[in-house]
Amino acid sequence: MTPAELRTVARRLPTGVTVVTSGRGDDMHGMTVNSFATLSLSPPLVNFSVRHGARITTLIESTGGFVVNVLGADQHALARRFADPDRPTGSDCFAAVETAGAPASGGMRLAGTIGHFDCRAVHLVEAGDHTIVVGSVEECGIVGTADPLLFVNGEFRSVLSGSLQ
């Protein structure tokens, strides 16, 4: 099996899209993450993974926390902005983005998202070519009622409201 084969199959699995933020003051950073998942309800834990050397990892280590902003179906431009490798760094990364506060956990809440998780980092685990970040959820909230933004087959998607029986 090759990495390309793994990626081809994995792309078929829909994932939610988030922007993870960390840092304080002028030393802030945000990045689009689609590997976010809840890990445990008791204690409340979440996790996501990033490539080794990602700037966000250093900020999470230094502040001890991060915020996961859950994007709505209409926020694909925001997802693209924080996925762009040429985006501004530091606080300039947020210059054209409306924010909703910086919690004590370290990070920035983005305005207009459908939810957020304010987390304290409890484990950073090296795994292959990525680092798995595990956070203890200190506070979370639903902010909007829009459908979530999904990523599948290399594209952003949305789903219709409703459930399957």
Side-chain angles (χ1 to χ4, degrees), residues 9-66:
V9 175
R11 288 171 57 124
R12 302 296 293 175
L13 180 65
T15 62
V17 182
T18 65
V19 172
V20 175
T21 63
S22 188
R24 292 201 189 342
D26 288 337
D27 199 16
M28 293 288 297
H29 189 63
M31 68 176 289
T32 300
V33 170
N34 73 330
S35 62
F36 173 77
T38 56
L39 184 61
S40 170
L41 296 178
S42 183
L45 300 173
V46 297
N47 73 144
F48 65 93
S49 62
V50 294
R51 287 186 193 254
H52 289 311
R55 183 166 188 255
I56 198 97
T57 307
T58 303
L59 291 172
I60 290 170
E61 290 173 329
S62 69
T63 64
F66 58 92

Side-chain angles (χ1 to χ4, degrees), residues 39-127:
L39 184 61
S40 170
L41 296 178
S42 183
L45 300 173
V46 297
N47 73 144
F48 65 93
S49 62
V50 294
R51 287 186 193 254
H52 289 311
R55 183 166 188 255
I56 198 97
T57 307
T58 303
L59 291 172
I60 290 170
E61 290 173 329
S62 69
T63 64
F66 58 92
V67 176
V68 178
N69 296 275
V70 182
L71 300 187
D74 62 343
Q75 295 182 304
H76 48 86
L78 194 59
R80 282 190 180 89
R81 175 185 177 81
F82 284 98
D84 183 352
D86 296 325
R87 70 189 175 280
T89 59
S91 59
D92 291 343
C93 185
F94 300 90
V97 176
E98 188 178 347
T99 59
S105 60
M108 183 71 66
R109 287 191 199 144
L110 304 180
T113 62
I114 62 173
H116 64 271
F117 298 85
D118 295 336
C119 302
R120 180 178 44 82
V122 293
H123 298 291
L124 279 80
V125 181
E126 303 297 316

